[in-house]
Amino acid sequence: MWDDISDRLVESQKIVFVTGAGISQESGIPTFRGKDGLWRKYDPMKLATIDAFYEDPKLVWEWYEERRNNILNAKPNAGHVTIAELEKYRKVSVLTQNIDGLHQRAGSKNVYELHGSIVIIKCTVCDFRDKITSGFSALPPLCRCGNMLRPDVVWFGEALPQDVWESAMVEASTCDTMIIVGTSLAVSPANLLPVYAKQNGATMIEVNIEETQMSSQMDLSLREPAAKALPEILGIISSGKNG
Ligand code: BJW
Ligand code: ZN
């Protein structure tokens, strides 16, 4: 299996990564679904929708402040660093559902944040939008215009940023290799990106400790943590050798 795939990896010109919470798990950031996932402890509909926000903005903000604090203290792991390193060898882009900014902090240049960013804060009414890394003394924080601020992330029922989504569709449809890392592929429309790549005939590789709903369509599934599997892939590409 590896023999065939390593040939194709060595020949690849454009690699697109689709990443999810699993890649940051080894940086100490919890995933959403699965054994220790956030949605085991919290109800997504009470925290990650606009209705929930207006219902109890303080509760939603407390949850985000705790996560912002954890994320700002987290460091990219070998998975993120390997993807950034691959840019030395191939054309690489990263379509991430993560809001933690760890790909950029690891050095990746072409990162598309499908679900926004937890460090960007925007006003619910006016066009204020800025990067804010310090904590807020009162929750919910208010904008200079007097209305509530919110994290610039995409909640359920909200559209993805249109320019990011359009670029992501183009990237997915034009790659020769797609590597899907640490995502359950349970959330749409991000879970369509592998479908676009597959339709374009891309080599499909999945890195996930568990099976996903697209596992059967993969050319290779690596059932290993991202920080272990991605350096193996880099090793094959950078050496230009098979196996
Ligand atoms: C490892 C590992 C290791 C662990 N190494 N692997 C019914 C009702 C309402 C809505 C819908 C509905 N049916 C469908 C919808 C649409 C909805 C949706 O898909 N819902 C499904 C859950 C059913 N989607 C939306 O609402 C989206 N918007 C939309 O569709 O808009 C339409 C529209 C169009 C036009 C106008 C208006 C609207 C928006 C989706 C937004 C998702 N937001 C969140 C929260 C972001 C903010 C925040 O973080 O606070 O995004 S939810 C959460 O899920 C987060 C993630 O990005 C996303 C995906 O999760 P991910 O990354 O896959 O993580 P997990 O935990 O699921 O998986 C981790 C994986 O890693 C696992 O497989 C592990 O095995 C693996 N793993 N450790 C390798 N070390
Ligand atoms: Zn405002």
Side-chain angles (χ1 to χ4, degrees):
M1 190 166 51
W2 258 116
D3 285 350
D4 177 40
I5 292 293
S6 50
D7 284 348
R8 284 200 254 168
L9 270 176
V10 169
E11 284 158 19
S12 67
Q13 303 286 314
K14 178 171 175 177
I15 305 178
V16 166
F17 286 86
V18 172
T19 66
I23 195 170
S24 296
Q25 186 268 336
E26 290 160 278
S27 292
I29 300 171
T31 62
F32 294 92
R33 298 161 190 87
K35 198 166 63 71
D36 299 315
L38 289 168
W39 297 155
R40 283 281 166 105
K41 262 201 292 180
Y42 305 101
D43 177 354
M45 294 305 149
K46 292 209 173 98
L47 291 166
T49 68
I50 191 70
D51 288 350
F53 179 68
Y54 282 114
E55 178 97 0
D56 196 342
K58 189 166 188 289
L59 174 82
V60 173
W61 257 110
E62 279 166 357
W63 188 60
Y64 275 97
E65 276 297 81
E66 195 183 314
R67 291 175 63 211
R68 276 162 55 83
N69 194 39
N70 183 31
I71 284 169
L72 286 164
N73 286 308
K75 292 191 176 55
N77 64 54
H80 303 102
V81 171
T82 299
I83 293 177
E85 182 97 340
L86 251 175
E87 280 185 15
K88 289 187 195 151
Y89 304 96
R90 293 292 184 280
K91 193 166 166 23
V92 172
S93 43
V94 184
L95 316 180
T96 188
Q97 296 165 82
N98 298 345
I99 57 167
D100 57 33
L102 290 183
H103 284 298
Q104 294 92 323
R105 281 169 55 196
S108 283
K109 297 283 182 291
N110 300 317
V111 183
Y112 297 86
E113 293 182 310
L114 300 164
H115 293 162
S117 165
I118 202 164
V119 293
I120 307 288
I121 304 300
K122 67 180 181 184
C123 180
T124 46
V125 175
C126 78
D127 58 9
F128 171 84
R129 185 176 177 275
D130 209 352
K131 179 174 174 177
I132 300 179
T133 51
S134 54
F136 296 102
S137 48
L139 298 177
L142 299 181
C143 179
R144 256 174 281 168
C145 78
N147 291 291
M148 281 191 291
L149 294 170
R150 60 165 281 183
D152 191 10
V153 298
V154 181
W155 286 324
F156 288 115
E158 294 186 322
L160 275 56
Q162 201 183 337
D163 51 337
V164 175
W165 175 243
E166 278 168 13
S167 301
M169 283 193 292
V170 171
E171 293 294 316
S173 309
T174 55
C175 65
D176 55 42
T177 303
M178 176 170 276
I179 306 180
I180 302 158
V181 189
T183 170
S184 60
L185 295 175
V187 173
S188 62
N191 60 4
L192 291 175
L193 295 169
V195 177
Y196 300 146
K198 178 98 184 152
Q199 279 168 354
N200 188 49
T203 298
M204 305 292 292
I205 300 176
E206 174 179 72
V207 175
N208 198 308
I209 52 172
E210 287 175 17
E211 252 185 47
T212 71
Q213 55 192 31
M214 275 199 75
S215 294
S216 63
Q217 299 188 54
M218 296 293 137
D219 296 294
L220 178 68
S221 289
L222 294 174
R223 293 274 161 265
E224 290 177 337
K228 178 168 187 293
L230 291 171
E232 291 167 8
I233 292 175
L234 174 66
I236 289 169
I237 293 175
S238 61
S239 69
K241 285 186 293 200
N242 293 347

